[in-house]
């Protein structure tokens, strides 16, 4: 097997809790807690989990927007913890990001052309070349060149997200991290943006990590699904399996919480999850999903569940996995 495009081993990001000015505390927010996960080249991995489960923090670690506090991540052969300036420069070109709210990422006083050109100029691409590339990427996101002179307030949410995608493509990345790329858009526009992202992925053989709340979408577009709960990876495997026959009770809870779109599935029994994940600070031993899990036993309360390999490429951190043959 080839080397993965992204390889995370025990990646950890703990935040110190501030107790106000000049007061220190030993408490930590375990936003990302020992995540081990690989993403192959050209693969679409959907990352799901309730709000606060650490998805954005994990994305920020991979983008080197924040330093991990433990573990190791190797991206296209570059080890984040040991990278030289040169390595990092290479990586910044290779890994791009699209966030949820395009408006907040674009300077209101900058034209679209200059916004798209900025990352290229920063990376030393000559202005004339950058101008040319700005036109090329705008066409790739199916937008008219007349928008190059527009300012953010003149465009709709969908158009702004296309600009954000164009800018992400400007340095010809290999990897794109998409953090809720359609959550802030109107429903009718969401599908257009998703289809655009899928077309680009296929055309350029990009590797995607896509974070979204929309479980119906994630099932449909991803090759694999990774499920996070309170900073940990609880299930990872082929989208078809994790999406339809999940093994972790939490994944099942998430999937059951998604609206049923297929009329044939109406009337199917659903288990609606109760409660919320609680705090990341005062974590006790044992499975973090214990209090909300209808399958939990005493064993789950006492010890941390280990990762079980259910099938090649399908792992679950649960003592009582579901749907196993
Ligand atoms: N800079 C920070 N300082 C302290 N805590 C943070 C910081 N960033 C995120 N967190 C905490 O980390 C946890 C995970 O957040 P986040 O990664 O944004 O989750 P998600 O994207 O899954 O909603 C949350 O409890 C959040 O409050
Ligand atoms: Mg987030």
């Amino acid at each position: 097997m080839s080397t993965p495009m992204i390889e995370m081993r025990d990646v950890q990001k703990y935040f110190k809790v501030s107790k106000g000015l000049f007061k220190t505390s030993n408490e930590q927010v375990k936003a990302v807690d020992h995540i081990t996960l690989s993403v192959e080249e050209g693969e679409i991995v959907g990352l799901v989990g309730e709000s606060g489960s650490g998805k954005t923090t994990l994305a920020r670690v991979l983008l080197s927007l924040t330093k991990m506090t433990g573990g190791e991540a190797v991206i296209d052969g570059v080890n984040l913890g040991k990278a030289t300036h040169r390595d990092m420069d290479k990586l910044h070109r290779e890994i791009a990001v699209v966030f949820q709210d395009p408006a907040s990422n674009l300077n209101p006083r900058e034209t679209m052309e200059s916004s798209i050109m900025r990352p290229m100029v920063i990376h030393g691409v000559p202005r004339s070349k950058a101008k040319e590339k700005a036109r090329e990427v705008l066409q790739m996101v199916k937008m008219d060149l007349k928008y190059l002179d527009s300012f953010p307030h003149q465009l709709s949410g969908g158009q702004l997200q296309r600009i954000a995608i164009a800018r992400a493509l400007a340095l010809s990345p290999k990897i794109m991290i998409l953090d809720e790329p359609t959550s802030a858009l109107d429903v009718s526009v969401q599908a257009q943006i998703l289809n655009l992202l899928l077309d680009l992925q296929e055309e350029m053989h990009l590797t995607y990590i896509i974070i979204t709340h929309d479980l119906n979408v994630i099932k449909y577009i991803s090759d694999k699904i990774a499920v996070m709960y309170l900073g940990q990876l609880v299930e990872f495997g082929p989208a078809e399996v994790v999406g339809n026959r999940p093994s972790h009770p939490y994944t099942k809870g998430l999937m059951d919480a998604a609206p049923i779109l297929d009329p044939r599935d109406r009337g199917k029994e659903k288990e609606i999850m109760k409660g919320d994940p609680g705090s990341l600070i005062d974590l006790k031993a044992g499975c973090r999903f214990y209090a909300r899990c209808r399958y939990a036993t005493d064993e789950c309360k006492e010890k941390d569940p280990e990762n079980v390999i259910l099938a090649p490429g399908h792992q679950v951190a649960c003592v009582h996995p579901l749907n196993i043959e």
Side-chain angles (χ1 to χ4, degrees):
M1 219 160 109
S2 59
T3 350
M5 189 57 121
I6 302 174
E7 209 173 354
M8 299 173 238
R9 277 186 292 270
D10 286 324
V11 170
Q12 171 193 310
K13 176 70 190 183
Y14 292 176
F15 294 105
K16 283 210 169 64
V17 179
S18 147
K19 289 229 155 166
L21 208 56
F22 309 122
K23 283 194 197 135
T24 49
S25 135
N26 290 327
E27 285 177 338
Q28 290 179 314
V29 176
K30 298 183 172 176
V32 171
D33 205 6
H34 293 93
I35 299 267
T36 296
L37 178 68
S38 292
V39 181
E40 305 297 326
E41 185 179 359
E43 204 166 63
I44 302 183
V45 171
L47 185 56
V48 300
E50 280 158 303
S51 167
S53 55
K55 307 179 299 292
T56 297
T57 305
L58 185 64
R60 289 174 54 83
V61 165
L62 294 176
L63 289 158
S64 324
L65 293 172
T66 187
K67 261 204 160 84
M68 60 186 113
T69 46
E72 209 174 38
V74 181
I75 305 176
D76 198 21
V78 175
N79 187 324
L80 285 190
K82 299 176 186 152
T84 61
H85 281 296
R86 229 182 125 138
D87 287 339
M88 286 316 289
D89 194 55
K90 167 177 127 91
L91 217 52
H92 282 138
R93 286 166 165 268
E94 285 184 4
I95 179 164
V97 61
V98 174
F99 288 111
Q100 176 175 350
D101 182 11
S104 65
N105 291 300
L106 296 166
N107 183 341
R109 283 180 293 276
E110 213 174 28
T111 62
M112 293 302 127
E113 179 176 41
S114 121
S115 276
I116 297 174
M117 283 171 63
R118 181 170 298 281
M120 295 187 271
V121 173
I122 290 172
H123 279 90
V125 176
R127 287 194 73 85
S128 59
K129 186 109 186 58
K131 249 182 146 65
E132 205 178 293
K133 187 79 184 182
R135 279 157 182 72
E136 189 187 316
V137 290
L138 206 64
Q139 281 167 331
M140 287 167 87
V141 299
K142 312 273 184 291
M143 271 182 88
D144 197 286
L145 294 183
K146 71 177 183 204
Y147 292 111
L148 283 171
D149 298 324
S150 304
F151 288 91
H153 69 271
Q154 297 171 313
L155 301 182
S156 70
Q159 287 173 324
L160 290 174
Q161 199 59 307
R162 280 178 198 267
I163 297 286
I165 296 168
R167 190 173 57 168
L169 292 171
L171 290 164
S172 308
K174 290 185 178 176
I175 304 165
M176 288 249 250
I177 299 199
L178 307 153
D179 193 353
E180 313 254 5
T182 61
S183 303
L185 305 175
D186 286 329
V187 179
S188 57
V189 183
Q190 292 184 357
Q192 294 170 18
I193 296 294
L194 266 178
N195 283 327
L196 171 70
L197 287 168
L198 291 178
D199 288 346
L200 292 168
Q201 190 272 339
E202 203 176 300
E203 257 165 63
M204 288 180 280
H205 199 61
L206 297 167
T207 303
Y208 276 5
I209 293 185
I210 178 160
I211 300 171
T212 166
H213 273 113
D214 194 331
L215 295 160
N216 284 310
V217 161
I218 214 88
K219 268 205 285 202
Y220 163 68
I221 66 167
S222 324
D223 298 309
K224 291 184 185 157
I225 297 179
V227 186
M228 279 181 79
Y229 187 73
L230 285 175
Q232 294 178 327
L233 183 71
V234 295
E235 185 163 6
F236 181 52
E240 199 268 316
V241 179
V242 178
N244 298 316
R245 294 180 306 283
S247 285
H248 198 287
Y250 176 64
T251 315
K252 178 161 168 47
L254 272 186
M255 298 298 167
D256 280 354
I260 293 178
L261 297 183
D262 188 339
R264 285 169 300 183
D265 288 343
R266 302 249 157 89
K268 212 162 119 179
E269 197 209 341
K270 278 185 155 214
E271 289 164 22
I272 302 301
M273 223 173 357
K274 293 191 181 63
D276 59 56
S279 167
L280 273 166
I281 298 175
D282 195 17
L283 293 166
K284 296 179 179 63
C287 175
R288 290 185 186 174
F289 190 55
Y290 172 76
R292 294 171 84 189
C293 185
R294 57 182 280 176
Y295 306 94
T297 57
D298 286 347
E299 193 183 348
C300 312
K301 190 178 181 177
E302 280 144 25
K303 79 177 217 244
D304 281 359
E306 283 177 19
N307 268 320
V308 188
I309 311 286
L310 297 174
H314 184 198
Q315 65 179 63
V316 64
C318 179
V319 179
H320 310 291
L322 313 168
N323 287 319
I324 43 177
E325 267 102 61

